[in-house]
Amino acid sequence: MKNSINIGLLGFGTIGTGVVRVLQKNADVIQQRLGAPVQLLKIADLDITTDRGVQVAPAILTTNVEEVISHPDIDLVIELIGGYEPAKSFLLKAIANGKHVVTANKALMAVHGQEIIAAANQAGVSVMFEAAVGGGIPVISPIKESLGANRFSSVLGILNGTCNYILTKMTDHGSEFAAVLKEAQQLGYAEADPTFDIEGVDTAHKIALLSSLCFGTRVDFNQVYIEGISNIDAVDISFAKQMGYKIKLLAIGKNHGDQIEVRVHPTMIPAEDQLAEVDGVFNAVRLTGDFVGPTLLYGSGAGMDPTASAVMGDVMAIGRDILCGARLRVPIMGCCEEAVQSLPIQPMSEIISHYYLHFKSLDRPGVLARIAGCLGDHHISIQSMIQPERHEADCVPIVLMTHAAKEADVVKALKEIEAFDITCQNPRLIRVEHDLG
Amino acid sequence: MKNSINIGLLGFGTIGTGVVRVLQKNADVIQQRLGAPVQLLKIADLDITTDRGVQVAPAILTTNVEEVISHPDIDLVIELIGGYEPAKSFLLKAIANGKHVVTANKALMAVHGQEIIAAANQAGVSVMFEAAVGGGIPVISPIKESLGANRFSSVLGILNGTCNYILTKMTDHGSEFAAVLKEAQQLGYAEADPTFDIEGVDTAHKIALLSSLCFGTRVDFNQVYIEGISNIDAVDISFAKQMGYKIKLLAIGKNHGDQIEVRVHPTMIPAEDQLAEVDGVFNAVRLTGDFVGPTLLYGSGAGMDPTASAVMGDVMAIGRDILCGARLRVPIMGCCEEAVQSLPIQPMSEIISHYYLHFKSLDRPGVLARIAGCLGDHHISIQSMIQPERHEADCVPIVLMTHAAKEADVVKALKEIEAFDITCQNPRLIRVEHDLG
């Protein structure tokens, strides 16, 4: 019987440092729970000289990835490099060498998951990625295991701390996007190049993975609708508030049986919903299963320590398998490969939603009638309307909330209204979600 | 290799019916995730004639428990009888027969857990009890697995749907306890004999289990402080609201390293805290680990379907072990037996808390000075005071919030104040928790 679990680390950045910290600080707890110590044999990084604030024996540091992924004594490789390449090549090589893999790489798993899973199944090794979604919050394991007897109808999430921090600040202080982004960058809550976060790509990677896990289907990432928060205006946040809503970058996965919805966009949700109260850099996931009902999992969605916690949870799960001789105990995506479906993603044009529409028109009599008429022609009925006081020069805002309507109809109507001679500015649309699980 | 997981059921009540329902309705999902079907071979109950609204082949029903626990083909026994006996004897017999066990029985696990765990470890079988705490919410597995690398400083919970329903109704409508209890009984949210729920015993069973799991220690259930909600007065809920608090039956587990706190009592918590917003029959658990930070798990804490979901999650976990030949993969209480500690529970007299104190005194000059003086003599300082308008005959209420004080000092002071000639009614005390993880 093995008397330790031997691991190697690829990438000694923030999360890698967190993993070293937890291994050192909680070695006793980990061993007591696992039944054997976890030994970190090698760390590979291009930079092995910078002081990360943790003590590491110089001999375990290397710039040569091969020393990790081909190390004869290493059972498990933790990949914390991020991005597609060279992370993918390293992972595949580690797998081919019979190493189990734990990764926090959502981009890689969401886009190249199939290839990695196929390689792992062939090699008989595990790939786990709890840290890829929701930081330290246990989400992936509960879907695959504790809640595994459920048919999930939806999975909704606030999955990006940067976006949620920015939207929270905009909501609380009425600030504009650009100013808050700058502040977030200064505080370290947003990257120097924040595109992946603020344009919703990171969130989309995560909801693609969650949808795949919950609904037992492959998700073609290219079919996921992605809209970020960079066009959100303080005034829309304020109008939303007046109407009893908050704007969140909501990740939405829904299962309609023959097709699924997987989409990410700024979304107005009722202010009293728990998801609306997830503020700042926190994350939350609401899973709705046919037996368990709605279940909310909430916590720190990012950061060195919470992410290291999730990585180590996976290391311990695989460690337990190693210690008791189990192989491929839980399928990588929670569902046996032969049962995984390939459900199509519903095109955005077909989704049914409520819509918040913000028009700016010349202040003429009959404006509302023309807009409402056009919407009506496209089978869109109005649920409520506010005509705020704010005027800019000759333009007046008109804010409408629609009843459930088809996206294609809304797009068509807005195109027509855009062309009206009374329209001062292209209408703004924010989807409204009431069906929150 | 085994091609099915064969189970037997003890107890065909509400949750048992839920288990049959999920096995029938989601047989495909369960098989796709597990890799083999789950077959229900036998159900034992004293009553095998009542129609439970589910179709069951008559041949699998029996009144003879032996036909389940000694069935040669049954791998796993689900115990849903509840209570101490005969559930305990049946469980021990099943274990002795080499059957794995899944149970929803918190009372049994909290009070007789040691004996059951010892028997299971000796027999080399698993005992799982996710359904015992928080209904369908994944709580126990995350503590043992995904969050297993953390040192937990606290675990807090709203763990009893009956109490939370009653307190929510009292808060929302200003109603008195007895009236709401009656209503809850009519709606099926409270048992005909609600003692175990409303006196906090059920909650105490659950927090004893959670504390044991989080802190890696045995918990002597007899040392757990338990105070229920039957003495909570509508007026105290209303004063709490004025001061920015809600009253919840909070289960508290804290780890001080050399000793732990495990207690259940009505608790005032800040109204803006997420736990204060857990309403009605919902449950929530907040775990705080040194790496993951505060993590909230929220969902349906009881009921046929959510509980069946949790039971089946455990069945599938053990099923996976069986299918890949793993034994005792995860220690029953999350920590290897030889590492389990026996930390003492801090006596209530030593705990440090803030206190809400409600006095009723004759309307005389100097009353407040006498009360404040007595508190001061016992090292208790006052944080805020309200003297509400409500008068009853000659008596006036005085409501104080203290700074952090020692329980023993508060008890002594209250005893002295009780004896004052101006005191109309024994003072009421509600602990206030700000340190919510």
Side-chain angles (χ1 to χ4, degrees):
Chain A
M1 176 159 166
K2 276 189 70 74
N3 52 16
S4 72
I5 301 300
N6 299 328
I7 67 173
L9 191 57
L10 302 182
F12 197 15
T14 306
I15 303 170
T17 304
V19 169
V20 173
R21 271 168 50 80
V22 65
L23 279 170
Q24 292 179 349
K25 189 160 173 255
N26 287 357
D28 54 344
V29 171
I30 292 167
Q31 178 165 355
Q32 284 155 13
R33 295 225 172 92
L34 180 56
V38 175
Q39 312 267 21
L40 177 59
L41 301 192
K42 279 283 172 190
I43 302 175
D45 196 287
L46 293 177
D47 167 13
I48 59 170
T49 53
T50 300
D51 180 6
R52 275 95 170 171
V54 286
Q55 291 274 343
V56 174
I60 77 167
L61 288 169
T62 178
T63 54
N64 181 1
V65 170
E66 277 299 326
E67 290 184 35
V68 176
I69 60 182
S70 300
H71 194 299
D73 298 331
I74 284 178
D75 305 303
L76 183 157
V77 171
I78 302 174
E79 184 273 307
L80 299 172
I81 300 168
Y84 303 116
E85 282 295 354
K88 184 183 157 198
S89 302
F90 293 162
L91 265 200
L92 289 173
K93 218 162 179 182
I95 289 169
N97 288 342
K99 312 299 183 200
H100 301 283
V101 166
V102 172
T103 176
N105 195 329
K106 41 243 157 196
L108 186 57
M109 290 307 295
V111 176
H112 299 289
Q114 309 293 338
E115 194 181 340
I116 292 165
I117 292 162
N121 284 334
Q122 211 190 330
V125 298
S126 295
V127 175
M128 294 185 76
F129 51 99
E130 182 66 78
V133 181
I137 312 166
V139 179
I140 294 177
S141 284
I143 294 171
K144 289 162 68 173
E145 307 200 54
S146 300
L147 302 175
N150 286 272
R151 215 177 285 273
F152 293 100
S153 54
S154 70
V155 50
L156 303 170
I158 292 173
L159 298 173
N160 184 279
T162 304
C163 288
N164 205 48
Y165 175 85
I166 292 173
L167 290 174
T168 302
K169 282 279 163 181
M170 289 177 73
T171 304
D172 291 352
H173 305 298
S175 335
E176 285 296 350
F177 175 80
V180 182
L181 171 60
K182 209 167 175 186
E183 185 197 320
Q185 285 172 317
Q186 282 158 359
L187 289 167
Y189 293 154
E191 310 257 355
D193 177 359
T195 317
F196 248 47
D197 292 314
I198 63 172
E199 296 308 341
V201 181
D202 174 77
T203 302
H205 288 143
K206 292 165 176 169
I207 194 67
L209 290 171
L210 292 179
S211 300
S212 183
L213 288 157
C214 284
F215 309 144
T217 182
R218 291 174 195 92
V219 170
D220 177 359
F221 185 71
N222 295 315
Q223 304 298 313
V224 177
Y225 177 80
I226 311 173
E227 184 184 322
I229 64 165
S230 56
N231 292 321
I232 294 294
D233 204 294
V235 77
D236 291 312
I237 290 181
S238 148
F239 292 160
K241 201 186 278 185
Q242 285 179 48
M243 298 170 112
Y245 293 87
K246 271 196 185 177
I247 299 178
K248 293 287 182 188
L249 185 68
L250 193 69
I252 300 174
K254 294 188 182 184
N255 190 0
H256 298 298
D258 53 348
Q259 57 180 0
I260 59 175
E261 289 181 47
V262 190
R263 48 190 168 103
V264 173
H265 48 69
T267 308
M268 280 173 48
I269 55 181
E272 69 278 9
D273 189 277
Q274 276 181 319
L275 284 171
E277 290 169 357
V278 174
D279 281 335
V281 294
F282 283 95
N283 277 197
V285 176
R286 181 178 288 145
L287 303 160
T288 304
D290 55 350
F291 278 78
V292 75
T295 305
L296 187 86
L297 310 172
Y298 167 96
S300 298
M304 179 194 298
D305 284 354
T307 310
S309 163
V311 166
M312 282 309 300
D314 283 351
V315 168
M316 291 169 74
I318 294 173
R320 293 185 197 283
D321 287 348
I322 294 173
L323 291 171
C324 67
R327 277 202 174 258
L328 303 180
R329 184 177 167 276
V330 183
I332 295 171
M333 296 305 291
C335 187
C336 299
E337 270 307 298
E338 62 277 13
V340 176
Q341 302 180 79
S342 290
L343 294 172
I345 296 181
Q346 188 176 42
M348 273 309 275
S349 56
E350 288 174 22
I351 72 150
I352 306 291
S353 178
H354 293 238
Y355 293 85
Y356 161 98
L357 303 174
H358 178 175
F359 303 95
K360 274 194 188 159
S361 294
L362 293 177
D363 196 2
R364 304 272 183 278
V367 162
L368 181 61
R370 279 187 70 186
I371 291 174
C374 178
L375 292 173
D377 291 346
H378 290 282
H379 325 291
I380 303 155
S381 59
I382 297 168
Q383 184 185 303
S384 63
M385 196 269 284
I386 56 173
Q387 193 154 10
E389 288 289 341
R390 316 187 182 207
H391 287 233
E392 290 167 26
D394 195 30
C395 279
V396 291
I398 297 170
V399 174
L400 300 177
M401 187 73 82
T402 76
H403 282 289
K406 198 171 161 185
E407 176 107 357
D409 291 334
V410 174
V411 169
K412 264 185 253 165
L414 293 193
K415 196 136 246 167
E416 288 181 21
I417 294 168
E418 247 177 72
F420 284 0
D421 52 359
I422 50 166
T423 295
C424 310
Q425 189 182 297
N426 285 352
R428 283 209 291 268
L429 165 166
I430 301 175
R431 294 170 195 88
V432 184
E433 195 68 33
H434 292 109
D435 176 20
L436 291 166
Chain B
M1 177 159 166
K2 277 189 68 76
N3 51 17
S4 72
I5 301 301
N6 298 328
I7 67 174
L9 190 57
L10 302 182
F12 197 15
T14 307
I15 302 172
T17 304
V19 170
V20 173
R21 272 168 48 81
V22 65
L23 279 170
Q24 291 179 349
K25 189 161 171 257
N26 288 356
D28 54 345
V29 171
I30 292 167
Q31 178 164 354
Q32 284 155 12
R33 295 225 172 93
L34 179 57
V38 175
Q39 312 267 21
L40 177 59
L41 301 191
K42 278 283 171 191
I43 303 174
D45 197 288
L46 293 175
D47 166 12
I48 57 169
T49 52
T50 299
D51 180 6
R52 274 96 170 171
V54 286
Q55 292 274 343
V56 174
I60 76 166
L61 288 168
T62 177
T63 55
N64 181 2
V65 169
E66 278 298 327
E67 290 185 35
V68 176
I69 61 182
S70 301
H71 194 298
D73 299 330
I74 283 178
D75 305 303
L76 183 158
V77 172
I78 301 174
E79 183 273 308
L80 299 172
I81 299 167
Y84 303 115
E85 283 294 353
K88 184 182 155 198
S89 302
F90 293 162
L91 264 200
L92 289 173
K93 219 164 179 180
I95 288 169
N97 288 342
K99 312 299 184 200
H100 300 283
V101 166
V102 172
T103 176
N105 194 329
K106 41 244 157 196
L108 186 55
M109 289 306 295
V111 176
H112 298 289
Q114 309 293 337
E115 193 180 341
I116 291 164
I117 292 163
N121 284 332
Q122 212 190 329
V125 299
S126 295
V127 175
M128 293 185 76
F129 51 99
E130 182 66 79
V133 181
I137 311 167
V139 179
I140 294 176
S141 283
I143 293 171
K144 290 163 68 174
E145 307 199 53
S146 300
L147 302 175
N150 286 274
R151 213 178 287 273
F152 292 101
S153 53
S154 70
V155 50
L156 303 170
I158 293 173
L159 298 172
N160 184 279
T162 304
C163 287
N164 205 47
Y165 174 86
I166 291 172
L167 291 175
T168 301
K169 283 278 165 185
M170 289 176 73
T171 303
D172 292 351
H173 305 298
S175 334
E176 286 295 351
F177 175 81
V180 182
L181 171 61
K182 209 168 176 184
E183 185 197 320
Q185 285 172 317
Q186 282 157 358
L187 290 166
Y189 294 152
E191 311 257 354
D193 177 359
T195 317
F196 248 48
D197 291 314
I198 63 170
E199 296 307 342
V201 181
D202 174 76
T203 301
H205 287 143
K206 292 166 177 169
I207 194 67
L209 291 170
L210 291 180
S211 300
S212 183
L213 288 157
C214 285
F215 309 143
T217 183
R218 291 172 195 92
V219 170
D220 176 0
F221 185 72
N222 294 314
Q223 303 298 312
V224 177
Y225 178 79
I226 311 173
E227 184 185 323
I229 64 165
S230 55
N231 292 322
I232 294 294
D233 204 293
V235 77
D236 291 312
I237 289 180
S238 148
F239 292 161
K241 200 186 280 185
Q242 285 179 49
M243 298 170 109
Y245 294 86
K246 272 196 185 177
I247 299 178
K248 293 287 181 186
L249 185 68
L250 193 68
I252 299 174
K254 294 188 182 184
N255 190 359
H256 299 297
D258 53 348
Q259 58 181 358
I260 58 174
E261 289 181 48
V262 190
R263 49 191 167 101
V264 173
H265 47 70
T267 309
M268 280 172 48
I269 56 181
E272 70 278 8
D273 190 276
Q274 276 181 320
L275 285 171
E277 291 169 358
V278 174
D279 282 335
V281 294
F282 283 94
N283 277 199
V285 176
R286 181 178 288 146
L287 303 160
T288 303
D290 56 351
F291 278 79
V292 76
T295 305
L296 187 87
L297 310 171
Y298 168 96
S300 298
M304 176 193 300
D305 284 352
T307 311
S309 162
V311 165
M312 282 308 300
D314 284 352
V315 169
M316 290 168 74
I318 294 173
R320 293 186 197 282
D321 287 348
I322 294 172
L323 291 171
C324 66
R327 275 202 175 260
L328 303 179
R329 182 177 168 277
V330 183
I332 296 171
M333 295 306 290
C335 188
C336 299
E337 269 308 297
E338 62 277 13
V340 176
Q341 303 179 78
S342 290
L343 294 172
I345 295 181
Q346 187 176 43
M348 273 309 273
S349 55
E350 289 174 22
I351 72 152
I352 306 290
S353 178
H354 293 237
Y355 293 85
Y356 161 99
L357 303 173
H358 179 176
F359 303 95
K360 274 193 187 160
S361 294
L362 293 177
D363 197 1
R364 302 277 182 275
V367 160
L368 180 61
R370 279 187 70 186
I371 290 174
C374 176
L375 292 172
D377 291 346
H378 291 281
H379 326 289
I380 302 155
S381 58
I382 297 168
Q383 183 184 304
S384 63
M385 196 267 286
I386 55 173
Q387 192 154 11
E389 289 290 341
R390 316 186 182 206
H391 288 230
E392 289 167 26
D394 194 27
C395 279
V396 291
I398 297 171
V399 174
L400 300 177
M401 186 74 81
T402 76
H403 283 288
K406 198 170 159 185
E407 175 106 357
D409 291 334
V410 174
V411 169
K412 265 186 250 161
L414 294 193
K415 195 135 246 168
E416 288 180 21
I417 295 167
E418 245 178 75
F420 285 179
D421 52 1
I422 50 166
T423 295
C424 308
Q425 190 181 296
N426 286 351
R428 282 209 292 266
L429 165 165
I430 300 174
R431 294 170 197 88
V432 184
E433 196 69 32
H434 292 111
D435 177 20
L436 291 165

